[in-house]
Amino acid sequence: QVQLVESGGGLVQAGGSLRLSCLASGSILSINAMGWYRQAPGKQRELVATVTSGDTTKYADSVKGRFTISRDNAKNTVYLQMNSLKPEDTAVYYCNADIVDSSSRYPYSGNYWGQGTQVTVSS
């Protein structure tokens, strides 16, 4: 019943900006940590940024100073503001979250993934 839906991907020139959004919906009791991952062609999926329920953030070295992760708990949404984009940022970006489903018979925290959104940075 819980799902993550991403938006905001697209084509942008080097040096430009994009803002990704990920909305969690369904029978949500609570959301713990949320994060963004990316996977470039021929590469393994890698962590980009994470944010806890208390707004503590962590970033991959490759995006520090350029990307900002944030969340709006009232909207069950996590964002990734991407500035000074480089061609090497080109990848499919995935949203991830640990969520407690209120409809579960027993207390359970599940890990969920979004469908992914394409980000392409041209030179």
Side-chain angles (χ1 to χ4, degrees):
Q1 290 184 312
V2 175
Q3 63 177 351
L4 305 177
V5 179
E6 303 175 352
S7 62
L11 176 64
V12 65
Q13 291 186 338
S17 299
L18 284 174
R19 190 194 193 201
L20 305 183
S21 299
C22 174
L23 172 66
S25 62
S27 52
I28 299 172
L29 179 62
S30 63
I31 303 178
N32 300 128
M34 305 184 80
W36 289 93
Y37 295 73
R38 67 185 182 187
Q39 187 167 21
K43 299 289 186 179
Q44 292 185 324
R45 189 172 299 185
E46 65 176 353
L47 176 68
V48 176
T50 59
V51 58
T52 68
S53 59
D55 288 332
T56 298
T57 59
K58 183 178 180 180
Y59 299 91
D61 289 339
S62 60
V63 306
K64 286 182 179 178
R66 299 188 298 120
F67 291 10
T68 302
I69 188 171
S70 61
R71 63 192 289 168
D72 187 331
N73 293 324
K75 296 180 179 179
N76 290 331
T77 301
V78 63
Y79 305 95
L80 185 67
Q81 179 66 48
M82 305 185 294
N83 298 325
S84 301
L85 283 163
K86 305 174 181 179
E88 50 262 46
D89 294 319
T90 296
V92 177
Y93 284 70
Y94 297 90
C95 178
N96 179 266
D98 292 318
I99 300 173
V100 179
D101 190 340
S102 63
S103 68
S104 297
R105 179 172 176 81
Y106 304 99
Y108 177 73
S109 178
N111 185 254
Y112 298 86
W113 289 94
Q115 80 287 350
T117 184
Q118 177 70 48
V119 172
T120 302
V121 183
S122 65
S123 59

